[in-house]
Amino acid sequence: SGTGGASLERPWGQGHWNNNYGYRFHKGQGLTLDASKCFKKSESYSLIMDLRLDSGQAYARGLFKVKGWQANGLYVTKKGSLTLLASRLACQEEIRSNVNYKIGLTRSKSSVVSLYLNGYLCGSGKVKTNDGFTMNPKEVVFLRGNSDNAASGYIKSIRLWKSALQQSQMMKKCGCKLPRAAGKCSKGMITYSPKYAKYSASSTYGGRKMGRSYNSRPRLNAQSGWVSGHYHDQYLQIDIGQNRTISGIVSQGHSDWNYWTTTFTVKVSEDGSKWKQIECGRIFSGNKDRNTMVRNMFADPVYGRYVRLYPKTWSGRPSLRAGVTLCEKKCSEARLDFQMDGFISKTGGPMLTTPWGEGRFIDPKGEYDSSISGTVLEYSHVKDARCRKKCEKRPDCVAYTARQGGHRGCYLMGDVRQLYDNSG
């Protein structure tokens, strides 16, 4: 220990050290500790373990227990839930393989036991079983459960305190800062998927502006989707227009290719410069196919204007169509005003729903890729900038493209129905 006291023992075999991830332990190679010279039997204590578990472990994995808890303790279940066995405490977020986590456990003198993931409080309550999970410091076991319930992976640090850290202290120890909390939605919720001008990204495949090609259309149910230009540390950003209560995320994959984001994290900002993670970096489960909409709700609503989605794993390339779940506003002026650039009324109130299937919104005078079909209104051999101006001057032009059937040029397109539906 960096603060003195007893050392960790390795009664079930020695692992080895890794410069990046810490101590490498295999299944069954748990650690023990006799902390009785530092702690007496403790009614209140805190624990933080910085670890990374291996994949391919379809069984409950023991992380922490002490003598007197019998077969119980802190485990990751078969389904990936962090739980305190013999209690009802469990975290909603799945513990994923090959991902670094700071896993926390506290017990107060009033028998309140709390679970933390990366500093985020994900479970708390009074526990009566196992003597309320008081800690006997004489025999503490890490990374090993009963019989075959042993984990394997890497552990970077283990920290113990003879006191129950407060929630703010646990967040600070784990390096987490949360967005400003907001109240629950009192009226209902709406899905906000704005015009392309309100979207931005770290990069776009091909470098095209939002809404201009099949790699840069991130609106929900749009033709195609956003595809990142790079693979790592990428994000898709949505500007809500003003600070509002944000309750969750809705996502889809790319409509034409087998590209979708399978897991992602979310950050929120009120000013576009200072960003804070949702639930201390919670990893949300994303999409499994091209078009199914997946709705992820936050454990607690937050306040902000800008939302960023960071793909962590994906099929093909990082790709998204996404919207934000907001609280419904009160109707103003006792009227509803839907301008059909989305399903939200300009005057607040409930949103339109699509129980019989959803169509698509067209970005007026937008540039589209060569895969579109429709009525060609005019052709000329000019560059993109002039092509767009020509489209803007024609009331019947809904889009333009620089290529048709392998032939390059400026094509002004009409007939919105044919533009997206060749079946008629």
Side-chain angles (χ1 to χ4, degrees), residues 88-128:
R88 295 182 179 180
L89 296 184
C91 295
Q92 180 182 357
E93 181 182 349
E94 177 186 351
I95 301 294
R96 302 176 190 273
S97 301
N98 302 315
V99 175
N100 293 328
Y101 290 95
K102 291 182 174 68
I103 291 176
L105 172 69
T106 66
R107 186 197 189 277
S108 69
K109 290 184 178 179
S110 58
S111 302
V112 175
V113 179
S114 301
L115 301 180
Y116 292 86
L117 267 181
N118 297 324
Y120 184 76
L121 178 62
C122 53
S124 185
K126 282 196 173 184
V127 179
K128 295 181 180 180

Side-chain angles (χ1 to χ4, degrees), residues 58-75:
Y59 49 84
R61 289 159 284 178
L63 301 182
F64 173 70
K65 66 175 186 175
V66 301
K67 187 176 181 179
W69 291 4
Q70 300 175 0
N72 303 308
L74 189 62
Y75 280 76

